[in-house]
């Protein structure tokens, strides 16, 4: 390599993952990263800062209002060097919004397994990139994101299985760089498999499954590092090289609670977030009556959403949980901020084509008495408990299932409108095997807004 013979070089890598627009600790993280870069520069040591995806999450009103571009400005301010995308960047934004997300980015976006639908390489990202320190150490950086094929294809992207792509890239880069780092939004199991399948990657910085490695994890000769979720930690990987060879690598995490920002940094970021969020104060429709929620049964809000869901999807019946509503809508003007407040989830509606006998099974599962108070984690859900299951046009009378007053034929096909989180196999194990049509990029709050505007209009 081009490194000065006999010289020892230390490279510092700082990394974050799965922030999910949780900004409570961000001022401290941002100021810490800037200070560390300055300190390492003064010491003559190379320093790089990476994010592993899901930095953008539309559950935060700032992210929703700025379509994620406000998040990119936060990364710019903290002087990130490169990022990969997570599923929140990849499948909760429209095709056009993702193409435009990184327009003003002052860092490189690295993702190897996503392309345009026709196979063309992305204009806003690269499959790999390289950095060279002032002493000549060359760092190759590759990246990939989790595969959600049905969602990506509906959004007009081509997503590919990543591990072989990453192994091939690492093998190619190994001939021209001193070490290869992988920015992975694949999850811990995929990272471990990748580490066993190639010896060409020195470090895998991980994300997606919100795992935390306090001191890293060695798999074969590869160091895995990860910082959990929500900006609770910042990761720090230290590489020591001699004559172009990595001789030592260590991983550690710094608790973000220990990182205190100055008043100027806190005020500057808060002002950015406030100004961005104010864009949500746009009228969507005028509600003639209050639409109140009820976690444990039917409500005016669930009735309204149920009608909206069937009208939008043109399905025969519907099924969703009352816990998706995190508040009520008052009578009068309803704004984008109001809709986001009660439905912050990055959840899509979908239409599942099912036989009548399967529909009966799903109905019976939905009636389990433990469900209303079941706590839900992940799957895009941003509430706390499941709440009662709401049935739309679907009713059981004397052990006979009816759709809109007609007996369900066990062999006939029906279209069931529901939420994408129910199709992932956790609540209804067999539903993931049905024919599913995901409605993207619109989220469930967009369907409420559409229905309210169609039925009630606005005051303007």
């Amino acid at each position: 390599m081009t490194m000065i013979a006999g010289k020892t070089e230390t490279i510092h890598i700082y990394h974050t993952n799965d922030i999910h627009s949780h900004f409570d600790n961000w001022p401290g993280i941002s100021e810490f990263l800037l200070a560390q870069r300055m300190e390492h520069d003064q010491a003559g040591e190379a320093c790089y800062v990476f994010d592993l995806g899901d930095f953008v999450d539309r559950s935060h009103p700032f992210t929703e209002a700025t379509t994620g571009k406000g998040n990119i400005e936060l990364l710019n301010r903290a002087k990130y060097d490169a990022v990969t995308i997570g599923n929140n960047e990849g499948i909760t934004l429209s095709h056009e919004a993702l193409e435009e997300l990184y327009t003003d980015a002052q860092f490189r976006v690295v993702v190897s397994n996503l392309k345009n639908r026709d196979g063309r390489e992305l204009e806003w990202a690269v499959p790999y990139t390289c950095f060279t320190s002032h002493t000549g150490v060359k760092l190759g950086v590759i990246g990939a994101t989790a595969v959600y094929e049905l969602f990506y294809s509906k959004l007009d992207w081509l997503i590919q299985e990543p591990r072989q792509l990453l192994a091939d890239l690492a093998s190619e880069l190994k001939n021209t760089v001193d070490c290869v780092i992988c920015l992975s939004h694949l999850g811990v199991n995929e990272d471990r498999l990748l580490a066993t399948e190639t010896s060409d990657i020195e470090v895998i910085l991980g994300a997606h499954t919100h795992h935390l490695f306090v001191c890293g994890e060695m798999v074969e000769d590869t160091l895995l590092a990860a910082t959990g979720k929500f900006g609770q930690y910042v990761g720090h990987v230290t590489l020591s090289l001699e004559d172009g060879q990595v001789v030592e690598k260590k991983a550690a995490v710094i608790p973000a609670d220990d990182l205190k920002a100055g008043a100027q940094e806190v005020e500057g970021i808060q002002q950015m977030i406030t100004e961005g969020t104010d864009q949500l104060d746009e009228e969507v429709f005028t509600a003639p009556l209050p639409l109140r929620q009820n976690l444990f049964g039917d409500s005016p809000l669930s009735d309204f959403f149920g009608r909206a869901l069937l009208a939008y999807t043109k399905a025969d019946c519907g099924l969703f949980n009352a816990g998706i509503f995190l508040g009520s809508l008052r009578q009068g003007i309803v704004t984008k901020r109001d809709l986001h407040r009660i439905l912050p989830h990055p959840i899509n509606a979908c239409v599942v084509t099912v036989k009548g006998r399967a529909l009966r099974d799903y109905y019976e599962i939905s009636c389990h008495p433990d469900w209303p108070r079941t706590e839900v984690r992940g799957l895009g859900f941003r509430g706390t408990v499941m709440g009662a299951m709401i049935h739309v046009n679907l009713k059981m009378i004397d052990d006979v299932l009816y759709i809109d007053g007609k007996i369900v034929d066990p062999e006939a096909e029906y279209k069931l409108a529901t939420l994408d989180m129910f199709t992932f196999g956790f609540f209804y194990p067999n539903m993931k095997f049905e024919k599913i049509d995901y409605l993207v990029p619109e989220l469930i709050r967009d369907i409420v807004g559409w229905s309210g505007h169609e039925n009630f209009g606005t005051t303007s």
Side-chain angles (χ1 to χ4, degrees):
M1 294 294 124
T2 56
M3 185 177 169
I4 299 171
K7 181 173 175 60
T8 299
E9 172 86 358
T10 301
I11 294 178
H12 296 273
I13 296 172
Y14 294 90
H15 56 102
T16 54
N17 63 269
D18 297 289
I19 298 288
H20 283 280
S21 295
H22 283 248
F23 300 129
D24 291 348
N25 291 330
W26 186 253
I29 292 173
S30 180
E31 197 161 281
F32 170 76
L33 293 173
L34 292 171
Q36 292 304 107
R37 185 184 292 277
M38 183 179 298
E39 180 181 310
H40 294 311
D41 285 348
Q42 291 173 350
E45 297 175 333
C47 173
Y48 303 101
V49 182
F50 303 130
D51 184 76
L52 291 314
D54 278 3
F55 186 75
V56 168
D57 191 318
R58 291 178 62 184
S59 64
H60 196 289
F62 172 66
T63 303
E64 176 75 355
T66 64
T67 323
K69 289 193 171 186
N71 295 60
I72 304 311
E73 180 55 30
L74 291 176
L75 291 172
N76 285 342
R77 286 170 61 118
K79 297 190 182 302
Y80 274 68
D81 294 291
V83 308
T84 195
I85 71 167
N87 45 288
N88 272 266
E89 288 90 0
I91 63 175
T92 71
L93 297 173
S94 69
H95 186 103
E96 295 74 16
L98 180 55
E99 279 193 318
E100 296 173 3
L101 178 62
Y102 299 102
T103 299
D104 298 321
Q106 296 165 15
F107 50 82
R108 304 171 197 179
V109 182
V110 184
V111 56
S112 64
N113 65 325
L114 186 68
K115 290 181 169 59
N116 289 293
R117 186 65 178 270
D118 59 8
R120 289 179 298 109
E121 296 290 344
L122 305 175
E123 295 183 7
W124 48 271
V126 293
Y128 70 91
T129 191
C130 296
F131 297 95
T132 304
S133 76
H134 63 280
T135 61
V137 171
K138 292 186 177 180
L139 189 72
V141 177
I142 59 180
T145 194
V147 176
Y148 287 85
E149 187 173 2
L150 288 174
F151 286 89
Y152 276 112
S153 63
K154 286 280 289 187
L155 289 164
D156 214 24
W157 298 111
L158 174 65
I159 188 77
Q160 298 171 288
E161 291 295 334
R163 291 205 312 272
Q164 190 60 53
L165 286 172
L166 292 170
D168 291 344
L169 272 176
S171 178
E172 293 174 21
L173 284 172
K174 199 67 174 177
N175 298 319
T176 57
V177 301
D178 295 289
C179 61
V180 176
I181 307 296
C182 179
L183 312 185
S184 167
H185 196 89
L186 302 178
V188 63
N189 292 333
E190 288 290 303
D191 290 348
R192 286 169 175 154
L193 286 170
L194 177 61
T196 64
E197 291 168 358
T198 177
S199 60
D200 294 327
I201 300 174
E202 293 286 352
V203 180
I204 298 174
L205 305 176
H208 188 46
T209 45
H210 298 180
H211 53 291
L212 172 66
F213 292 143
V214 174
C215 298
E217 177 182 281
M218 291 299 301
V219 177
E220 305 289 346
D221 294 323
T222 301
L223 174 64
L224 274 57
T227 69
K229 62 179 180 178
F230 302 163
Q232 296 166 344
Y233 297 90
V234 175
H236 180 200
V237 170
T238 307
L239 300 176
S240 298
L241 295 92
E242 290 182 2
D243 298 328
Q245 298 293 319
V246 175
V247 295
E248 187 178 34
K249 45 194 172 186
K250 298 179 180 178
V253 295
I254 301 98
D257 285 344
D258 296 343
L259 307 177
K260 305 303 180 185
Q264 187 174 356
E265 181 71 7
V266 173
E267 187 175 322
I269 289 177
Q270 187 54 55
Q271 184 176 349
M272 269 187 64
I273 291 174
T274 299
E275 290 176 355
T277 304
D278 285 346
Q279 298 176 51
L280 291 180
D281 291 329
E282 177 184 332
E283 182 180 353
V284 181
F285 64 90
T286 303
L289 296 169
L291 296 171
R292 296 189 177 89
Q293 71 169 148
N294 175 13
L295 274 177
F296 303 112
D298 292 319
S299 68
L301 187 54
S302 67
D303 290 346
F304 175 72
F305 178 68
R307 292 194 300 272
L309 188 63
L310 291 198
Y312 197 83
T313 62
K314 297 180 171 52
D316 301 305
C317 54
L319 178 68
F320 60 90
N321 59 307
I324 60 171
F325 305 115
L326 305 193
S328 303
L329 291 175
R330 64 185 180 277
Q331 181 179 355
I333 293 173
V334 175
T335 65
K336 288 183 176 181
R337 190 192 294 263
D338 293 321
L339 294 179
H340 188 273
R341 172 179 55 81
I342 68 164
L343 290 166
H345 330 277
I347 289 176
N348 304 100
C350 61
V351 177
V352 185
T353 301
V354 298
K355 288 287 185 71
R357 60 177 178 273
L359 184 61
R360 182 188 175 98
D361 289 340
Y362 300 144
Y363 181 94
E364 291 177 345
I365 291 172
S366 73
C367 294
H368 195 288
D370 292 342
W371 272 42
R373 297 188 183 277
T374 298
E375 292 190 4
V376 184
R377 297 275 188 268
L379 307 177
F381 186 66
R382 298 296 184 255
T384 304
V385 298
M386 177 75 74
M389 295 302 299
I390 306 298
H391 306 102
V392 188
N393 260 15
L394 197 60
K395 184 178 292 187
M396 185 84 80
I397 303 174
D398 296 330
D399 202 39
V400 177
L401 187 63
Y402 293 83
I403 290 180
D404 201 20
K406 298 177 182 177
I407 295 176
V408 170
D409 181 347
E411 298 304 319
E413 285 191 338
Y414 300 92
K415 295 193 178 298
L416 170 68
T418 189
L419 312 180
D420 62 15
M421 70 177 193
F422 292 137
T423 68
F424 300 149
F426 296 95
F427 303 110
Y428 300 90
N430 292 327
M431 195 177 286
K432 63 184 178 182
F433 302 115
E434 308 283 6
K435 179 183 176 183
I436 305 168
D437 182 19
Y438 294 103
L439 278 68
V440 295
E442 58 269 37
L443 303 179
I444 53 177
R445 59 178 169 269
D446 298 319
I447 293 176
V448 171
W450 166 81
S451 181
H453 188 270
E454 287 289 303
N455 287 284
F456 307 133
T458 63
T459 57
S460 58

